[in-house]
Amino acid sequence: MRVKERAQKLAAGVVGPERREEIERVALRFAVALTDEMAALIDPSDPADPIAAQFLPSAREFDLAPEERQDPLGEERFSPCPGLVHRHRDRVLLKPILLCPVYCRFCFRREVVGKKGAMLSAGDLERAFAYIRDHREIWEVIVTGGDPFLLSPRRIGQIVETLDGLAHLEVIRFHTRVPVADPARVDARLLRALRAQKALFVVIHVNHPRELTEGANEAAKRFLRAGIPLLSQSVLLRGVNDDPVVLEALLRRLVAMRIKPYYLHHADLAPGTAHFRTGIEKGRRLVRALRGDLSGLCQPTYVLDIPGGYGKVPIGPCAIEREGKDWVVEDACGERHPYPADRGGDEE
Ligand SMILES: *Cc1c(COP(=O)(O)O)cnc(C)c1O
């Protein structure tokens, strides 16, 4: 489908004609896509709809901030061969496909997804497997994209089977938006493709409680019945989920669906995404507010990916600091309490 047709299809029924031209213009610069499942969630009468904000292009994407980067996480620098990123000793990212069912407008890989050459060639996939085979320190392979669940079950099955056969590897992890964006893809064939001897985890990207539809719930149940544990990751986004009520609803619903919240990401410095970033101060305030009121099961780790490829670091509010020889700890209400230094270990 040509870009213009794709943009028109995307806009049909979810925005008025006055925004069509804007959407077409952005679609020429960045990939766009929307599934029926997500389109159905959009309230066309709400200009601030949190689902529309995530998937419908906006002219604000042309506003580039000086701190933004083509490759915010510096993945290129740590790529030993196409489709592979080896930043941390014990784990690699494998990106077999750079297509997605819904191109989030804040995607940190927006400069590389949805373009020509989005499928890793058979030769490059072989080279990636050879690299993993040769590096016995690799304990875990994180299959991501794009969205790896856009591959056919046959190809997913080949990847899982190959990885499952590598003796030094212990964990296979998939990162995906499919269970939310297109839950019907989570069918018996996909589940069969994911059968492995090794531990296999699925991490679902979801940002707003409304994305957790009955369809997503059914998809989650199918993974769980197949013995696949589920985790979630969310991006903190201005106007979407930078609100304690929305975050609480999202995190509680996830746990009720037996999905353990894993990461809350601070939005990355991807081109044209400044309107999504909340500021770290606000992020920490939100995380602190959640700490006191929500079960520990609902608490994700708030992380920032340091630009340039220096990895993820937790940036949640720091509850403890040194005061003289001893410590002071702050509780969830902001009240401070003394904690004694350990005579054996704390003194330098
Ligand atoms: C996020 C990321 C990982 C996975 O990190 P975890 O903390 O294990 O989830 C691995 N490699 C790279 C390059 C990453 O950006």
Side-chain angles (χ1 to χ4, degrees), residues 73-75 78 85-88 90-93 108-109 139-140 142 173 175 203 231 233 262-263 265 303 305 309 311-312:
L73 305 200
E75 296 194 323
F78 293 97
V85 182
H86 194 183
R87 169 67 185 85
H88 304 284
D90 79 333
R91 56 209 191 276
V92 290
L93 305 183
F108 73 90
R109 293 201 185 107
W139 176 83
E140 178 183 29
I142 300 160
R173 187 194 328 171
H175 280 206
V203 181
L231 305 167
Q233 57 175 344
Y262 177 47
Y263 280 147
H265 297 272
V303 290
D305 242 299
K312 289 181 211 20

Side-chain angles (χ1 to χ4, degrees), residues 29-30 64-75 77 106-112 268-274 277 305-310:
R29 172 68 181 84
F30 297 109
L64 301 182
E67 65 274 20
E68 292 174 345
R69 306 176 179 213
Q70 299 278 105
D71 175 16
L73 305 200
E75 296 194 323
R77 201 151 69 84
F106 45 87
C107 178
F108 73 90
R109 293 201 185 107
R110 62 190 331 218
E111 294 289 4
V112 293
D268 292 309
L269 297 172
T273 62
R277 290 192 290 276
D305 242 299
I306 307 174
Y310 299 95

